[in-house]
Amino acid sequence: MTAGRDLKTMLFVPASRPERIPKAIASAAGAVIVDLEDAVPAAAKDSARESLEAFLRDHEEAGVFVRINARGTAGFEADLALCARHANVVGIMLAKAESAEDVRVVAGAGKRIIPLIESARGLVALNDIAAVPEVERLSYGGLDLSDDLGLEGNTSAAETVMDQCRYQLLVSSRAAGLLAPIDTVFPVLDDEEALLCRARRARNMGFAGMLCIHPGQIAPVQAGFSPDPDQVAWARKVMEAARSGGGAFKVDGQMVDAPVIAMARSILERAGSGLDK
C-alpha cells in the first residue's frame, strides 16, 4: 500500500484499536501510522503491542508505518524489536528524536525512518539527524514542540516561532537530500476550511504532506496539497512553450527560464498530470 503512493496524508491509528487498521488502510490515506506512543495510555502499551503483533502476523500484505516510543522510554526496545520482526512494517516514525544516535539505534531495525522532532534538543540536532542514511524524511510534533519551547498556544506569536521550526525542517531536508518534510497534525476536527488553508500553507512552504488524526481530514488535506487548477493550466502552458522555445521566453507576460520550467514541471508532477497533456 504505502511504498508506491505519495504521502500527502499520513493517518494515525492507535495500536490499541487494531480493528481500525484495515479501515485506515482501505481509506484514501497515503500511509497509515499505527501508533504505539501518544495514542496509547501507559498502562495499555503492552497489550497494544500484542494487538499490533497479531495484526501484522495475520495481515502480511498490509504495509504500515509504526510510531514507536522515544529512545530511553520503557517501551522503546520492545517497539523496535516488533518492527524489526515484520516485513510489513514499511517504516518507523521515531517519537521525540533528539540526536543522530537516537536514529542510528532505530536504523538497526532495517526500516526507513521518519524522525519526529518534538523538542529544542531535536531542533538543535536537526542537521545531524537528517544526515543519518536511513532517514527518508522529517516531521515534527507541533503540540509537544510548542510545549517544550514554552509557547502560548493559538497565538500569532507562537505561529511565528513554529514557522521558524518548519523553515529549519525544510532547509535541513533539502541540504541532506531528503524527501520533503511532513507537517504536523491539525487538532481541530470540525473546521474543514481551516484545515484546507493550513494544508495549502504548508504546501506553499515546501512541505509534502500532513499528519492526520481522523479519516475526515484526508480529503481536505489532499486538496490543500494539490496544485490549484490555475497553477496546473499555467504549468502546462510553460511546458508547451518550452518544447518549441529556446533559452528564455515569455508566457502570459512572465519571463520563463530554466528555474521556472522546473517549477512548472514540479506542479504537474504534484497534480499527477502527464507532461504531454
Side-chain angles (χ1 to χ4, degrees):
M1 165 201 164
T2 304
R5 295 167 65 175
D6 68 71
L7 299 186
K8 289 188 182 73
T9 49
M10 300 189 75
L11 178 63
F12 280 114
V13 181
S16 54
R17 300 296 300 271
E19 74 280 3
R20 293 184 181 178
I21 301 175
K23 296 176 183 178
I25 292 173
S27 74
V32 171
I33 309 169
V34 184
D35 192 9
L36 287 166
E37 199 228 4
D38 278 351
V40 180
K45 288 191 184 291
D46 288 344
S47 60
R49 196 178 299 110
E50 292 170 2
S51 296
L52 177 54
E53 183 97 55
F55 174 84
L56 293 169
R57 185 176 58 246
D58 296 340
H59 298 81
E60 294 183 355
E61 78 291 348
V64 298
F65 283 78
V66 176
R67 176 162 72 169
I68 65 174
N69 288 278
R71 184 182 177 217
T73 62
F76 172 76
E77 291 185 1
D79 291 352
L80 189 59
L82 180 151
C83 292
R85 284 194 295 271
H86 294 278
N88 45 353
V89 174
V90 298
I92 295 173
M93 177 171 280
L94 173 62
K96 299 176 176 62
E98 293 191 334
S99 70
E101 183 61 22
D102 288 348
V103 181
R104 281 193 286 267
V105 171
V106 173
K111 311 290 183 179
R112 50 182 168 156
I113 304 171
I114 300 179
L116 201 58
I117 306 303
E118 302 183 84
S119 68
R121 288 173 61 88
L123 286 172
V124 169
L126 200 50
N127 287 339
D128 291 337
I129 289 171
V132 176
E134 290 78 8
V135 172
E136 179 181 82
R137 64 176 84 217
L138 302 171
S139 188
Y140 69 104
L143 298 176
D144 284 322
L145 184 54
S146 294
D147 182 62
D148 186 71
L149 295 174
L151 305 183
E152 187 69 34
N154 300 316
T155 63
S156 60
E159 193 60 27
T160 297
V161 175
M162 293 309 295
D163 278 348
Q164 172 64 22
C165 297
R166 293 183 180 98
Y167 164 81
Q168 288 184 245
L169 264 75
L170 177 64
V171 172
S172 292
S173 296
R174 288 288 186 181
L178 304 181
L179 297 174
I182 302 293
D183 200 30
T184 190
V185 300
F186 187 73
V188 180
L189 296 178
D190 58 356
D191 193 337
E192 287 193 7
E193 185 60 30
L195 175 58
L196 174 64
C197 290
R198 173 58 67 87
R200 186 169 293 141
R201 186 171 185 272
R203 178 200 74 193
N204 292 341
M205 294 180 74
F207 281 66
M210 180 179 287
L211 303 176
C212 298
I213 54 176
H214 189 277
Q217 293 185 321
I218 293 172
V221 170
Q222 287 180 336
F225 277 91
S226 298
D228 300 327
D230 288 347
Q231 287 182 302
V232 175
W234 170 85
R236 286 178 175 163
K237 281 185 182 180
V238 169
M239 297 309 299
E240 288 169 4
R243 292 189 187 98
S244 56
F249 53 90
K250 287 185 179 181
V251 170
D252 294 339
Q254 176 185 351
M255 185 64 67
V256 175
D257 55 9
V260 178
I261 293 171
M263 183 186 302
R265 182 178 289 107
S266 176
I267 288 171
L268 292 179
E269 288 173 351
R270 286 193 288 113
S273 301
L275 299 182
D276 58 343
K277 293 182 180 179

